[in-house]
Amino acid sequence: MLVRVFEDMTPSPKPLHYSQTMKHLTQIIFALAGFACASLHAQKFDGLALTPPMGWNSWNKFQCDVDETIIRAMADAMATNGMKAAGYEYINIDDCWQGERDAQGFIQPDAVKFPSGIRALADYVHAKGLKLGIYSDVGYKTCGGRIASRGHEFQDAQTYASWGVDYLKFDWCNAEGLKAEGAYTTMRDALHAAGRPIVFSLCEWGNNQPWTWAKDVGHLWRTTTDIYPAFDGILDHTNWQQWSVLKIIDAQKPIREAAGPGHWNDPDMLEVGNGMSANEDRAHFSMWCMLAAPLISGNDLAHMKPAVLEILTNPDVLAVDRDALGVEGFVYSTNANVEIWFKPLAGGDWAMCALNRGQEAQRVSFDWKQEKVADTFSQRTADFSSIIYDVRNLWTQKDLGTTQAALAAEVPGHDVLLLRLTKKMN
Ligand code: GLA
């Protein structure tokens, strides 16, 4: 920051054109104001994302083909189809909304795709009781080649705040010469200096282990490369990869202790409704909930099948994700292709998920009274030999009796059995 200020203040050898002078002055003012404010209150906005953020983002379905008509249509859908009532609130524009910077360096939206401007879009989204998110990148250019925030962090943060933006996803393309922690801390300070509470979503793909340093920088941080709508496998683009649901789940196992209220591991946005089978969509969504993951839908909300909407809005399943304890699940046992996951929930409850990673159906037997679940991280235990729990299947929404009887079930391929265990009242 100081280096940039000194550079700007170096006397110019030839007279500057008026607009150049204005641009330099504006940058100095933003840099100084930003530096002063950031030094006084160097922190992220507290009290945001106390449960994992829920919303929608344009990238997984529309990539660069995003415009204000699509954003409005998604807000219309979310506000009326039950998603808002279920807890979804953010409508996030991803890459490719940006146009040029003006003479003073202020970023402008692409005039063809967003002719009404972002402020008008924020007003539209807010009027529906929802919130607006936007996207930028640490480099000079975004991943999609649009203008990004390097050297304009404080000015961009100020602009987003003035537009009424509520959420910023900040990407890691073209980060040459930058250190991740420093680059993201600069933007955190810029957002704080701008004064509007904005959820800060780090999209650094896990390259520099943000789970080890980002707790006080952002509210969520991507832990892996980009997802694609497949349950198993890797999509290799030679110089980068996209990962399937199972590959991403496996990468979360060692880092669960980093997450908690206000600071979440982000295993990437949802691919529910983007081409996987119904059981794969259900398993993907269940596991994101077991991982207390941000639930940012990525499908076309205006044209989705009722079965997809049912998955996205199942209240019992969402309650697992949004549980106030904010502790991620863990693998308790593995047998053949089936992993048994447990997640401690507030008030003494547990979620249990049997994940069938294989394509063939599997019989699952679980004699509760022979099992003792203990989580050293949350210091929670479930001793089924001494405590009886009621068992509820969260997808069928049927009560299955208690843990006094052994569980015997068949889990189809690439599917889950998702249960909630509640201490039985005597
Ligand atoms: C990166 C991110 C994606 C998306 C694109 C946009 O790949 O990881 O989620 O934002 O950039 O270009």
Side-chain angles (χ1 to χ4, degrees), residues 56-67 70-71 92-97 113-114 144 226-229 240 242 269 271 274 298:
W56 173 89
N57 173 291
S58 51
W59 185 255
N60 284 357
K61 177 69 185 176
F62 297 101
Q63 279 101 47
C64 258
D65 292 328
V66 62
D67 58 33
I70 290 173
I71 299 298
N92 294 349
I93 316 169
D94 206 277
D95 206 351
C96 303
W97 63 268
K113 289 158 168 275
F114 293 88
D226 292 8
I227 195 171
Y228 73 112
W240 72 292
Q242 284 178 274
M269 303 172 294
E271 291 283 16
N274 279 344

PDB file of all heavy atoms in Angstrom, residues 56-67 70-71 92-97 113-114 144 226-229 240 242 269 271 274 298:
ATOM      1  N   TRP A  56     -27.315 -18.388  -4.624  1.00  0.00           N
ATOM      2  CA  TRP A  56     -27.178 -18.857  -6.005  1.00  0.00           C
ATOM      3  C   TRP A  56     -26.036 -18.078  -6.636  1.00  0.00           C
ATOM      4  O   TRP A  56     -25.799 -16.915  -6.281  1.00  0.00           O
ATOM      5  CB  TRP A  56     -28.485 -18.589  -6.783  1.00  0.00           C
ATOM      6  CG  TRP A  56     -28.382 -18.897  -8.252  1.00  0.00           C
ATOM      7  CD1 TRP A  56     -28.631 -20.104  -8.837  1.00  0.00           C
ATOM      8  CD2 TRP A  56     -28.024 -17.991  -9.303  1.00  0.00           C
ATOM      9  NE1 TRP A  56     -28.427 -19.999 -10.193  1.00  0.00           N
ATOM     10  CE2 TRP A  56     -28.060 -18.713 -10.501  1.00  0.00           C
ATOM     11  CE3 TRP A  56     -27.664 -16.640  -9.351  1.00  0.00           C
ATOM     12  CZ2 TRP A  56     -27.762 -18.147 -11.738  1.00  0.00           C
ATOM     13  CZ3 TRP A  56     -27.362 -16.058 -10.564  1.00  0.00           C
ATOM     14  CH2 TRP A  56     -27.417 -16.804 -11.755  1.00  0.00           C
ATOM     15  N   ASN A  57     -25.332 -18.710  -7.569  1.00  0.00           N
ATOM     16  CA  ASN A  57     -24.252 -18.035  -8.302  1.00  0.00           C
ATOM     17  C   ASN A  57     -24.357 -18.420  -9.768  1.00  0.00           C
ATOM     18  O   ASN A  57     -24.727 -19.543 -10.127  1.00  0.00           O
ATOM     19  CB  ASN A  57     -22.901 -18.477  -7.710  1.00  0.00           C
ATOM     20  CG  ASN A  57     -21.712 -17.967  -8.511  1.00  0.00           C
ATOM     21  OD1 ASN A  57     -21.480 -18.397  -9.639  1.00  0.00           O
ATOM     22  ND2 ASN A  57     -20.946 -17.072  -7.928  1.00  0.00           N
ATOM     23  N   SER A  58     -23.997 -17.472 -10.634  1.00  0.00           N
ATOM     24  CA  SER A  58     -24.208 -17.645 -12.077  1.00  0.00           C
ATOM     25  C   SER A  58     -23.233 -18.604 -12.761  1.00  0.00           C
ATOM     26  O   SER A  58     -23.517 -19.089 -13.859  1.00  0.00           O
ATOM     27  CB  SER A  58     -24.124 -16.282 -12.762  1.00  0.00           C
ATOM     28  OG  SER A  58     -22.941 -15.585 -12.398  1.00  0.00           O
ATOM     29  N   TRP A  59     -22.066 -18.894 -12.138  1.00  0.00           N
ATOM     30  CA  TRP A  59     -20.985 -19.516 -12.912  1.00  0.00           C
ATOM     31  C   TRP A  59     -21.291 -20.931 -13.390  1.00  0.00           C
ATOM     32  O   TRP A  59     -21.115 -21.248 -14.569  1.00  0.00           O
ATOM     33  CB  TRP A  59     -19.675 -19.511 -12.100  1.00  0.00           C
ATOM     34  CG  TRP A  59     -18.552 -20.033 -12.933  1.00  0.00           C
ATOM     35  CD1 TRP A  59     -17.951 -21.254 -12.841  1.00  0.00           C
ATOM     36  CD2 TRP A  59     -17.931 -19.366 -14.041  1.00  0.00           C
ATOM     37  NE1 TRP A  59     -16.987 -21.378 -13.802  1.00  0.00           N
ATOM     38  CE2 TRP A  59     -16.957 -20.240 -14.559  1.00  0.00           C
ATOM     39  CE3 TRP A  59     -18.110 -18.111 -14.647  1.00  0.00           C
ATOM     40  CZ2 TRP A  59     -16.155 -19.893 -15.650  1.00  0.00           C
ATOM     41  CZ3 TRP A  59     -17.311 -17.779 -15.735  1.00  0.00           C
ATOM     42  CH2 TRP A  59     -16.356 -18.660 -16.224  1.00  0.00           C
ATOM     43  N   ASN A  60     -21.709 -21.830 -12.486  1.00  0.00           N
ATOM     44  CA  ASN A  60     -21.791 -23.245 -12.856  1.00  0.00           C
ATOM     45  C   ASN A  60     -22.729 -23.486 -14.043  1.00  0.00           C
ATOM     46  O   ASN A  60     -22.495 -24.378 -14.845  1.00  0.00           O
ATOM     47  CB  ASN A  60     -22.233 -24.092 -11.657  1.00  0.00           C
ATOM     48  CG  ASN A  60     -21.092 -24.298 -10.662  1.00  0.00           C
ATOM     49  OD1 ASN A  60     -19.966 -23.862 -10.907  1.00  0.00           O
ATOM     50  ND2 ASN A  60     -21.377 -24.925  -9.532  1.00  0.00           N
ATOM     51  N   LYS A  61     -23.767 -22.673 -14.160  1.00  0.00           N
ATOM     52  CA  LYS A  61     -24.718 -22.876 -15.263  1.00  0.00           C
ATOM     53  C   LYS A  61     -24.429 -21.952 -16.458  1.00  0.00           C
ATOM     54  O   LYS A  61     -24.457 -22.378 -17.602  1.00  0.00           O
ATOM     55  CB  LYS A  61     -26.144 -22.628 -14.752  1.00  0.00           C
ATOM     56  CG  LYS A  61     -27.226 -22.729 -15.813  1.00  0.00           C
ATOM     57  CD  LYS A  61     -27.382 -24.166 -16.276  1.00  0.00           C
ATOM     58  CE  LYS A  61     -28.382 -24.254 -17.438  1.00  0.00           C
ATOM     59  NZ  LYS A  61     -28.444 -25.639 -17.936  1.00  0.00           N
ATOM     60  N   PHE A  62     -24.160 -20.684 -16.188  1.00  0.00           N
ATOM     61  CA  PHE A  62     -24.127 -19.712 -17.291  1.00  0.00           C
ATOM     62  C   PHE A  62     -22.725 -19.256 -17.692  1.00  0.00           C
ATOM     63  O   PHE A  62     -22.576 -18.608 -18.711  1.00  0.00           O
ATOM     64  CB  PHE A  62     -24.975 -18.486 -16.909  1.00  0.00           C
ATOM     65  CG  PHE A  62     -26.425 -18.809 -16.702  1.00  0.00           C
ATOM     66  CD1 PHE A  62     -26.957 -18.960 -15.428  1.00  0.00           C
ATOM     67  CD2 PHE A  62     -27.265 -18.988 -17.789  1.00  0.00           C
ATOM     68  CE1 PHE A  62     -28.296 -19.283 -15.237  1.00  0.00           C
ATOM     69  CE2 PHE A  62     -28.609 -19.308 -17.609  1.00  0.00           C
ATOM     70  CZ  PHE A  62     -29.127 -19.457 -16.332  1.00  0.00           C
ATOM     71  N   GLN A  63     -21.734 -19.584 -16.886  1.00  0.00           N
ATOM     72  CA  GLN A  63     -20.364 -19.102 -17.105  1.00  0.00           C
ATOM     73  C   GLN A  63     -20.377 -17.618 -17.494  1.00  0.00           C
ATOM     74  O   GLN A  63     -20.962 -16.819 -16.779  1.00  0.00           O
ATOM     75  CB  GLN A  63     -19.642 -19.970 -18.149  1.00  0.00           C
ATOM     76  CG  GLN A  63     -19.091 -21.256 -17.546  1.00  0.00           C
ATOM     77  CD  GLN A  63     -19.955 -22.440 -17.829  1.00  0.00           C
ATOM     78  OE1 GLN A  63     -20.375 -22.644 -18.959  1.00  0.00           O
ATOM     79  NE2 GLN A  63     -20.247 -23.200 -16.804  1.00  0.00           N
ATOM     80  N   CYS A  64     -19.757 -17.290 -18.663  1.00  0.00           N
ATOM     81  CA  CYS A  64     -19.658 -15.866 -19.016  1.00  0.00           C
ATOM     82  C   CYS A  64     -20.941 -15.319 -19.651  1.00  0.00           C
ATOM     83  O   CYS A  64     -21.048 -14.114 -19.875  1.00  0.00           O
ATOM     84  CB  CYS A  64     -18.481 -15.645 -19.968  1.00  0.00           C
ATOM     85  SG  CYS A  64     -17.046 -14.958 -19.119  1.00  0.00           S
ATOM     86  N   ASP A  65     -21.896 -16.183 -19.940  1.00  0.00           N
ATOM     87  CA  ASP A  65     -23.133 -15.721 -20.582  1.00  0.00           C
ATOM     88  C   ASP A  65     -24.127 -15.228 -19.547  1.00  0.00           C
ATOM     89  O   ASP A  65     -25.271 -15.691 -19.494  1.00  0.00           O
ATOM     90  CB  ASP A  65     -23.767 -16.858 -21.399  1.00  0.00           C
ATOM     91  CG  ASP A  65     -22.917 -17.206 -22.596  1.00  0.00           C
ATOM     92  OD1 ASP A  65     -22.260 -16.294 -23.137  1.00  0.00           O
ATOM     93  OD2 ASP A  65     -22.886 -18.393 -22.963  1.00  0.00           O
ATOM     94  N   VAL A  66     -23.704 -14.293 -18.736  1.00  0.00           N
ATOM     95  CA  VAL A  66     -24.577 -13.797 -17.678  1.00  0.00           C
ATOM     96  C   VAL A  66     -24.968 -12.356 -18.010  1.00  0.00           C
ATOM     97  O   VAL A  66     -24.178 -11.615 -18.598  1.00  0.00           O
ATOM     98  CB  VAL A  66     -23.866 -13.890 -16.309  1.00  0.00           C
ATOM     99  CG1 VAL A  66     -22.616 -13.029 -16.236  1.00  0.00           C
ATOM    100  CG2 VAL A  66     -24.807 -13.564 -15.163  1.00  0.00           C
ATOM    101  N   ASP A  67     -26.195 -11.992 -17.687  1.00  0.00           N
ATOM    102  CA  ASP A  67     -26.626 -10.604 -17.898  1.00  0.00           C
ATOM    103  C   ASP A  67     -27.700 -10.262 -16.868  1.00  0.00           C
ATOM    104  O   ASP A  67     -28.125 -11.116 -16.083  1.00  0.00           O
ATOM    105  CB  ASP A  67     -27.130 -10.371 -19.332  1.00  0.00           C
ATOM    106  CG  ASP A  67     -28.286 -11.282 -19.697  1.00  0.00           C
ATOM    107  OD1 ASP A  67     -29.093 -11.610 -18.798  1.00  0.00           O
ATOM    108  OD2 ASP A  67     -28.418 -11.682 -20.874  1.00  0.00           O
ATOM    109  N   ILE A  70     -30.938 -12.409 -16.675  1.00  0.00           N
ATOM    110  CA  ILE A  70     -30.788 -13.687 -15.968  1.00  0.00           C
ATOM    111  C   ILE A  70     -30.793 -13.441 -14.458  1.00  0.00           C
ATOM    112  O   ILE A  70     -31.476 -14.148 -13.703  1.00  0.00           O
ATOM    113  CB  ILE A  70     -29.469 -14.388 -16.395  1.00  0.00           C
ATOM    114  CG1 ILE A  70     -29.578 -14.870 -17.839  1.00  0.00           C
ATOM    115  CG2 ILE A  70     -29.133 -15.545 -15.456  1.00  0.00           C
ATOM    116  CD1 ILE A  70     -28.290 -15.435 -18.420  1.00  0.00           C
ATOM    117  N   ILE A  71     -30.043 -12.442 -14.020  1.00  0.00           N
ATOM    118  CA  ILE A  71     -29.955 -12.193 -12.568  1.00  0.00           C
ATOM    119  C   ILE A  71     -31.337 -11.863 -12.000  1.00  0.00           C
ATOM    120  O   ILE A  71     -31.733 -12.396 -10.952  1.00  0.00           O
ATOM    121  CB  ILE A  71     -28.947 -11.048 -12.284  1.00  0.00           C
ATOM    122  CG1 ILE A  71     -27.546 -11.436 -12.787  1.00  0.00           C
ATOM    123  CG2 ILE A  71     -28.933 -10.688 -10.800  1.00  0.00           C
ATOM    124  CD1 ILE A  71     -26.939 -12.646 -12.125  1.00  0.00           C
ATOM    125  N   ASN A  92     -25.715 -14.173  -6.553  1.00  0.00           N
ATOM    126  CA  ASN A  92     -24.331 -13.767  -6.795  1.00  0.00           C
ATOM    127  C   ASN A  92     -23.980 -13.776  -8.281  1.00  0.00           C
ATOM    128  O   ASN A  92     -24.073 -14.810  -8.941  1.00  0.00           O
ATOM    129  CB  ASN A  92     -23.382 -14.705  -6.042  1.00  0.00           C
ATOM    130  CG  ASN A  92     -23.516 -14.573  -4.525  1.00  0.00           C
ATOM    131  OD1 ASN A  92     -24.164 -13.635  -4.036  1.00  0.00           O
ATOM    132  ND2 ASN A  92     -22.924 -15.484  -3.790  1.00  0.00           N
ATOM    133  N   ILE A  93     -23.536 -12.605  -8.762  1.00  0.00           N
ATOM    134  CA  ILE A  93     -23.049 -12.514 -10.139  1.00  0.00           C
ATOM    135  C   ILE A  93     -21.588 -12.944 -10.107  1.00  0.00           C
ATOM    136  O   ILE A  93     -20.790 -12.389  -9.352  1.00  0.00           O
ATOM    137  CB  ILE A  93     -23.105 -11.066 -10.673  1.00  0.00           C
ATOM    138  CG1 ILE A  93     -24.424 -10.392 -10.295  1.00  0.00           C
ATOM    139  CG2 ILE A  93     -22.868 -11.030 -12.158  1.00  0.00           C
ATOM    140  CD1 ILE A  93     -24.424  -8.887 -10.561  1.00  0.00           C
ATOM    141  N   ASP A  94     -21.229 -13.905 -10.933  1.00  0.00           N
ATOM    142  CA  ASP A  94     -19.826 -14.346 -10.985  1.00  0.00           C
ATOM    143  C   ASP A  94     -19.104 -13.554 -12.064  1.00  0.00           C
ATOM    144  O   ASP A  94     -19.435 -12.383 -12.341  1.00  0.00           O
ATOM    145  CB  ASP A  94     -19.776 -15.876 -11.208  1.00  0.00           C
ATOM    146  CG  ASP A  94     -18.505 -16.513 -10.672  1.00  0.00           C
ATOM    147  OD1 ASP A  94     -17.481 -16.489 -11.396  1.00  0.00           O
ATOM    148  OD2 ASP A  94     -18.504 -17.033  -9.543  1.00  0.00           O
ATOM    149  N   ASP A  95     -18.140 -14.145 -12.699  1.00  0.00           N
ATOM    150  CA  ASP A  95     -17.263 -13.445 -13.655  1.00  0.00           C
ATOM    151  C   ASP A  95     -18.053 -12.920 -14.866  1.00  0.00           C
ATOM    152  O   ASP A  95     -19.128 -13.430 -15.178  1.00  0.00           O
ATOM    153  CB  ASP A  95     -16.183 -14.432 -14.119  1.00  0.00           C
ATOM    154  CG  ASP A  95     -14.915 -13.735 -14.575  1.00  0.00           C
ATOM    155  OD1 ASP A  95     -14.917 -12.493 -14.692  1.00  0.00           O
ATOM    156  OD2 ASP A  95     -13.921 -14.441 -14.804  1.00  0.00           O
ATOM    157  N   CYS A  96     -17.461 -11.932 -15.515  1.00  0.00           N
ATOM    158  CA  CYS A  96     -17.892 -11.417 -16.824  1.00  0.00           C
ATOM    159  C   CYS A  96     -18.987 -10.356 -16.747  1.00  0.00           C
ATOM    160  O   CYS A  96     -19.624 -10.056 -17.762  1.00  0.00           O
ATOM    161  CB  CYS A  96     -18.299 -12.539 -17.770  1.00  0.00           C
ATOM    162  SG  CYS A  96     -16.958 -13.732 -18.016  1.00  0.00           S
ATOM    163  N   TRP A  97     -19.175  -9.739 -15.593  1.00  0.00           N
ATOM    164  CA  TRP A  97     -20.105  -8.610 -15.496  1.00  0.00           C
ATOM    165  C   TRP A  97     -19.379  -7.285 -15.788  1.00  0.00           C
ATOM    166  O   TRP A  97     -20.015  -6.265 -16.034  1.00  0.00           O
ATOM    167  CB  TRP A  97     -20.731  -8.516 -14.097  1.00  0.00           C
ATOM    168  CG  TRP A  97     -19.736  -8.265 -12.996  1.00  0.00           C
ATOM    169  CD1 TRP A  97     -19.089  -9.201 -12.251  1.00  0.00           C
ATOM    170  CD2 TRP A  97     -19.249  -6.987 -12.533  1.00  0.00           C
ATOM    171  NE1 TRP A  97     -18.234  -8.596 -11.352  1.00  0.00           N
ATOM    172  CE2 TRP A  97     -18.307  -7.245 -11.505  1.00  0.00           C
ATOM    173  CE3 TRP A  97     -19.522  -5.661 -12.885  1.00  0.00           C
ATOM    174  CZ2 TRP A  97     -17.621  -6.225 -10.832  1.00  0.00           C
ATOM    175  CZ3 TRP A  97     -18.847  -4.648 -12.206  1.00  0.00           C
ATOM    176  CH2 TRP A  97     -17.909  -4.926 -11.193  1.00  0.00           C
ATOM    177  N   LYS A 113     -24.386  -6.137 -21.266  1.00  0.00           N
ATOM    178  CA  LYS A 113     -24.996  -7.168 -20.428  1.00  0.00           C
ATOM    179  C   LYS A 113     -25.743  -6.575 -19.223  1.00  0.00           C
ATOM    180  O   LYS A 113     -26.711  -7.159 -18.739  1.00  0.00           O
ATOM    181  CB  LYS A 113     -23.913  -8.109 -19.882  1.00  0.00           C
ATOM    182  CG  LYS A 113     -23.278  -9.029 -20.913  1.00  0.00           C
ATOM    183  CD  LYS A 113     -21.919  -9.455 -20.372  1.00  0.00           C
ATOM    184  CE  LYS A 113     -21.291 -10.579 -21.148  1.00  0.00           C
ATOM    185  NZ  LYS A 113     -21.735 -11.892 -20.707  1.00  0.00           N
ATOM    186  N   PHE A 114     -25.239  -5.456 -18.723  1.00  0.00           N
ATOM    187  CA  PHE A 114     -25.839  -4.859 -17.515  1.00  0.00           C
ATOM    188  C   PHE A 114     -26.147  -3.378 -17.766  1.00  0.00           C
ATOM    189  O   PHE A 114     -25.614  -2.503 -17.074  1.00  0.00           O
ATOM    190  CB  PHE A 114     -24.892  -5.041 -16.314  1.00  0.00           C
ATOM    191  CG  PHE A 114     -24.740  -6.474 -15.899  1.00  0.00           C
ATOM    192  CD1 PHE A 114     -23.759  -7.276 -16.478  1.00  0.00           C
ATOM    193  CD2 PHE A 114     -25.583  -7.041 -14.959  1.00  0.00           C
ATOM    194  CE1 PHE A 114     -23.627  -8.612 -16.115  1.00  0.00           C
ATOM    195  CE2 PHE A 114     -25.460  -8.379 -14.588  1.00  0.00           C
ATOM    196  CZ  PHE A 114     -24.481  -9.162 -15.171  1.00  0.00           C
ATOM    197  N   GLY A 144     -11.803 -14.993 -16.394  1.00  0.00           N
ATOM    198  CA  GLY A 144     -12.461 -14.845 -17.688  1.00  0.00           C
ATOM    199  C   GLY A 144     -11.871 -13.704 -18.513  1.00  0.00           C
ATOM    200  O   GLY A 144     -12.420 -13.346 -19.563  1.00  0.00           O
ATOM    201  N   ASP A 226     -12.084 -26.109  -9.208  1.00  0.00           N
ATOM    202  CA  ASP A 226     -13.513 -26.016  -9.543  1.00  0.00           C
ATOM    203  C   ASP A 226     -14.190 -27.390  -9.605  1.00  0.00           C
ATOM    204  O   ASP A 226     -13.652 -28.352 -10.139  1.00  0.00           O
ATOM    205  CB  ASP A 226     -13.705 -25.339 -10.901  1.00  0.00           C
ATOM    206  CG  ASP A 226     -13.324 -23.877 -10.863  1.00  0.00           C
ATOM    207  OD1 ASP A 226     -12.769 -23.413  -9.853  1.00  0.00           O
ATOM    208  OD2 ASP A 226     -13.583 -23.188 -11.862  1.00  0.00           O
ATOM    209  N   ILE A 227     -15.417 -27.400  -9.140  1.00  0.00           N
ATOM    210  CA  ILE A 227     -16.283 -28.572  -9.270  1.00  0.00           C
ATOM    211  C   ILE A 227     -16.772 -28.696 -10.712  1.00  0.00           C
ATOM    212  O   ILE A 227     -16.729 -27.727 -11.473  1.00  0.00           O
ATOM    213  CB  ILE A 227     -17.480 -28.441  -8.290  1.00  0.00           C
ATOM    214  CG1 ILE A 227     -18.209 -29.741  -8.097  1.00  0.00           C
ATOM    215  CG2 ILE A 227     -18.433 -27.330  -8.742  1.00  0.00           C
ATOM    216  CD1 ILE A 227     -19.256 -29.704  -6.962  1.00  0.00           C
ATOM    217  N   TYR A 228     -17.212 -29.897 -11.114  1.00  0.00           N
ATOM    218  CA  TYR A 228     -17.984 -30.064 -12.355  1.00  0.00           C
ATOM    219  C   TYR A 228     -19.067 -31.091 -12.057  1.00  0.00           C
ATOM    220  O   TYR A 228     -18.965 -31.830 -11.069  1.00  0.00           O
ATOM    221  CB  TYR A 228     -17.091 -30.432 -13.546  1.00  0.00           C
ATOM    222  CG  TYR A 228     -16.543 -31.842 -13.571  1.00  0.00           C
ATOM    223  CD1 TYR A 228     -16.961 -32.761 -14.539  1.00  0.00           C
ATOM    224  CD2 TYR A 228     -15.585 -32.262 -12.651  1.00  0.00           C
ATOM    225  CE1 TYR A 228     -16.449 -34.051 -14.585  1.00  0.00           C
ATOM    226  CE2 TYR A 228     -15.068 -33.546 -12.690  1.00  0.00           C
ATOM    227  CZ  TYR A 228     -15.498 -34.441 -13.654  1.00  0.00           C
ATOM    228  OH  TYR A 228     -14.987 -35.709 -13.676  1.00  0.00           O
ATOM    229  N   PRO A 229     -20.133 -31.130 -12.870  1.00  0.00           N
ATOM    230  CA  PRO A 229     -21.279 -31.965 -12.482  1.00  0.00           C
ATOM    231  C   PRO A 229     -21.041 -33.454 -12.749  1.00  0.00           C
ATOM    232  O   PRO A 229     -21.604 -34.033 -13.667  1.00  0.00           O
ATOM    233  CB  PRO A 229     -22.436 -31.415 -13.305  1.00  0.00           C
ATOM    234  CG  PRO A 229     -21.806 -30.728 -14.459  1.00  0.00           C
ATOM    235  CD  PRO A 229     -20.440 -30.282 -14.028  1.00  0.00           C
ATOM    236  N   TRP A 240      -5.047 -27.421 -15.905  1.00  0.00           N
ATOM    237  CA  TRP A 240      -5.846 -27.371 -14.672  1.00  0.00           C
ATOM    238  C   TRP A 240      -6.891 -28.475 -14.720  1.00  0.00           C
ATOM    239  O   TRP A 240      -7.129 -29.068 -15.778  1.00  0.00           O
ATOM    240  CB  TRP A 240      -6.475 -25.990 -14.455  1.00  0.00           C
ATOM    241  CG  TRP A 240      -7.613 -25.649 -15.374  1.00  0.00           C
ATOM    242  CD1 TRP A 240      -7.525 -25.423 -16.716  1.00  0.00           C
ATOM    243  CD2 TRP A 240      -8.999 -25.533 -15.024  1.00  0.00           C
ATOM    244  NE1 TRP A 240      -8.772 -25.152 -17.238  1.00  0.00           N
ATOM    245  CE2 TRP A 240      -9.700 -25.204 -16.214  1.00  0.00           C
ATOM    246  CE3 TRP A 240      -9.716 -25.644 -13.837  1.00  0.00           C
ATOM    247  CZ2 TRP A 240     -11.080 -25.014 -16.236  1.00  0.00           C
ATOM    248  CZ3 TRP A 240     -11.097 -25.452 -13.855  1.00  0.00           C
ATOM    249  CH2 TRP A 240     -11.760 -25.132 -15.044  1.00  0.00           C
ATOM    250  N   GLN A 242     -10.800 -30.033 -13.168  1.00  0.00           N
ATOM    251  CA  GLN A 242     -12.039 -29.871 -12.396  1.00  0.00           C
ATOM    252  C   GLN A 242     -12.291 -31.178 -11.653  1.00  0.00           C
ATOM    253  O   GLN A 242     -11.967 -32.259 -12.168  1.00  0.00           O
ATOM    254  CB  GLN A 242     -13.204 -29.532 -13.318  1.00  0.00           C
ATOM    255  CG  GLN A 242     -13.149 -28.084 -13.781  1.00  0.00           C
ATOM    256  CD  GLN A 242     -14.266 -27.740 -14.736  1.00  0.00           C
ATOM    257  OE1 GLN A 242     -14.147 -27.948 -15.936  1.00  0.00           O
ATOM    258  NE2 GLN A 242     -15.354 -27.231 -14.201  1.00  0.00           N
ATOM    259  N   MET A 269     -19.349 -24.446  -5.247  1.00  0.00           N
ATOM    260  CA  MET A 269     -20.793 -24.237  -5.399  1.00  0.00           C
ATOM    261  C   MET A 269     -21.467 -25.533  -5.848  1.00  0.00           C
ATOM    262  O   MET A 269     -20.827 -26.427  -6.384  1.00  0.00           O
ATOM    263  CB  MET A 269     -21.017 -23.116  -6.407  1.00  0.00           C
ATOM    264  CG  MET A 269     -20.302 -21.848  -5.968  1.00  0.00           C
ATOM    265  SD  MET A 269     -20.303 -20.527  -7.185  1.00  0.00           S
ATOM    266  CE  MET A 269     -19.329 -21.185  -8.506  1.00  0.00           C
ATOM    267  N   GLU A 271     -23.713 -28.329  -7.763  1.00  0.00           N
ATOM    268  CA  GLU A 271     -24.033 -28.743  -9.139  1.00  0.00           C
ATOM    269  C   GLU A 271     -25.371 -29.476  -9.182  1.00  0.00           C
ATOM    270  O   GLU A 271     -25.697 -30.115 -10.184  1.00  0.00           O
ATOM    271  CB  GLU A 271     -22.919 -29.642  -9.697  1.00  0.00           C
ATOM    272  CG  GLU A 271     -21.593 -28.934  -9.947  1.00  0.00           C
ATOM    273  CD  GLU A 271     -21.583 -28.078 -11.213  1.00  0.00           C
ATOM    274  OE1 GLU A 271     -22.682 -27.777 -11.759  1.00  0.00           O
ATOM    275  OE2 GLU A 271     -20.476 -27.713 -11.652  1.00  0.00           O
ATOM    276  N   ASN A 274     -27.691 -29.849 -12.392  1.00  0.00           N
ATOM    277  CA  ASN A 274     -26.880 -29.550 -13.580  1.00  0.00           C
ATOM    278  C   ASN A 274     -26.462 -30.800 -14.350  1.00  0.00           C
ATOM    279  O   ASN A 274     -25.482 -30.763 -15.100  1.00  0.00           O
ATOM    280  CB  ASN A 274     -25.625 -28.745 -13.185  1.00  0.00           C
ATOM    281  CG  ASN A 274     -25.937 -27.267 -13.014  1.00  0.00           C
ATOM    282  OD1 ASN A 274     -26.978 -26.786 -13.465  1.00  0.00           O
ATOM    283  ND2 ASN A 274     -25.052 -26.545 -12.346  1.00  0.00           N
ATOM    284  N   GLY A 298     -26.205 -23.639  -8.231  1.00  0.00           N
ATOM    285  CA  GLY A 298     -25.555 -23.210  -9.473  1.00  0.00           C
ATOM    286  C   GLY A 298     -26.323 -23.648 -10.697  1.00  0.00           C
ATOM    287  O   GLY A 298     -25.768 -23.740 -11.791  1.00  0.00           O
TER     288      GLY A 298
END
